[in-house]
Amino acid sequence: MAAQAGVSEATVSRVLNGKPGVSAATRQAVMTALDLMGYERPPRLRQRSNGLVGLVTPELDNPIFPAFAQAIEKALTQHGYTPVLCTQLPGGAPEDEFTELLVDRGVSGIVFVSGLHADTTARMDRYTRLTDRGLPIVLVDGYSEHIDAPFISPDDRLAARLAVQHLVDLGHERIGIALGPRRFVPVIRKIEGYKQAMAQLLGATDVDELIAHSLFSVEGGQAAAAQLLARGCTGIVCASDLMALGAIRACREKGRSVPGEVSVVGFDDSPLIAFTDPPLTTVRKPIGAMASAAVQTLLEEVNGAPAKHVELIFQPELVVRGSTGSGPLVNR
C-alpha cells in the first residue's frame, strides 16, 4: 500500500494510527490507496456523514440525467452529505414511492430533477406536504407557483432563441421545432422562445404547423422531424440531444443530408454528443452551475435558512459543431 500511495511504510503507519506530522495531501493519498486496494478504513478514519440527501431523477437512458446526478452527488459529498439516488424507470416505482422511502430513511432534504413538478397536469400537493412538514426540497428543471420551494432552471426561452438565431444567421427561413409533450414547463417555455424569435427575426407569426410534439427520445425526435421535413423545414430545433439524433436519422431516411440540406440543433450538450456523426450543434445546459446552486440552496435550508419560493435561472450557451450549415437563402 505504501507503494500505491507513493509514501514510506512509516508514513502509512502514522496515518492509520492517527499520528501527527503528515500533510493533508499525503493523508488523502494514503486514504485513496486504501480505498483503491479494497481495504476498509479503520473506524476512526471513516468520514462521518452530515446526513443523507435524496436525489430523485428520471431514467438514466438520457445521458443528461446521469451527468446531473454525478454533479449533484459530487457537490453533496464535498459538503459531507451522503447522496441517496432514486432513479425512476418506466413501469417502476413512481416518484411518490421514492419520496416516501427517502422520508422514512430520515433524509435531510431532497433534490428532484425533472420530476412531476415539471408536469402542468400533475398534482403539486405531493410537494407541499413535504414543505409543510419542514423538509427542505429543491426542484430542478420545472416550475410551479404552487410550491413554496426553490427552483433551478435553464433559460428555456433563450435556448430556443439561440437555436433559431443561429439557423437564421445561416440563411434558413423554414425552421421547425421538435419537442416532448406539451404539458411540460420546459416545453411550454421553449415554444414561447421559439415563437418570439421566429416573429422578431423572420416576421413569421403563424408557425403552429412548424411545432411537432413527440417523446423525449431518439424515436420521438425521428417521428417529429419526419413531420417537419414533410412541411418543408430546412432547419430543425430539438428539445433534447436524443431527439436531435433522431432528427438526423429521419433526414437520412428521407435521403436528406445533414448539414448539406437540413440543419439540426440539439439541446443539453450531453456527454459524448460532440462525437456523433456529424458532431451535434447544440445549446448547452449549464449542468455544473445548476447542480452547485441546487446543492447550495438545499443545504442553506438544511442549516436553518427559511425556504424561499424563488426560481434561479441559468443561461444556456450555443455550441456550434457540424450538424448545421448554410440554408437555402445562402445557397441561392
Side-chain angles (χ1 to χ4, degrees), residues 57-61 87-94 98:
T57 71
E59 93 297 326
L60 299 181
D61 293 346
T87 304
Q88 299 177 75
L89 299 171
F98 280 134

Side-chain angles (χ1 to χ4, degrees), residues 127-212:
Y127 301 109
T128 56
R129 281 198 297 271
L130 297 174
T131 55
D132 286 348
R133 66 194 295 176
L135 183 71
I137 64 172
V138 170
L139 303 120
V140 179
D141 254 354
Y143 177 77
S144 170
E145 60 185 20
H146 304 295
I147 308 170
D148 191 20
F151 292 82
I152 309 291
S153 307
D155 191 334
D156 287 298
R157 296 181 185 91
L158 176 60
R161 182 183 181 87
L162 287 171
V164 171
Q165 177 79 64
H166 174 59
L167 293 173
V168 170
D169 289 347
L170 288 171
H172 294 272
E173 277 192 326
R174 193 78 173 160
I175 300 168
I177 187 167
L179 311 116
R182 67 177 73 240
R183 67 181 188 273
F184 292 108
V185 171
V187 171
I188 293 167
R189 289 176 170 181
K190 284 189 177 77
I191 290 173
E192 290 171 357
Y194 165 78
K195 284 186 168 181
Q196 186 180 50
M198 291 292 283
Q200 289 178 348
L201 300 172
L202 294 171
T205 53
D206 184 14
V207 294
D208 286 347
E209 71 162 357
L210 303 182
I211 299 171

Side-chain angles (χ1 to χ4, degrees), residues 1-2 4-5 12 15-16 27-43 45-46:
M1 189 171 67
Q4 174 83 26
V12 170
V15 171
L16 296 183
R27 194 176 299 276
Q28 184 58 50
V30 172
M31 291 293 100
T32 302
L34 204 67
D35 296 339
L36 287 173
M37 296 177 74
Y39 293 111
E40 280 197 27
R41 295 186 180 194
L45 297 179
R46 288 179 197 158

Side-chain angles (χ1 to χ4, degrees), residues 299-313:
L299 296 186
E300 282 176 6
E301 204 176 321
V302 168
N303 292 323
K308 295 177 187 170
H309 186 197
V310 62
E311 184 177 23
L312 304 178
I313 297 178

Side-chain angles (χ1 to χ4, degrees), residues 241 245 248 252 269-282 284 319 321-323:
D241 289 337
L245 296 182
I248 293 172
R252 288 176 175 160
D269 198 25
S270 317
L272 302 181
I273 215 67
F275 306 104
T276 57
D277 179 26
L280 188 66
T281 293
T282 190
R284 177 179 294 158
V319 181
R321 297 194 181 104
S323 65

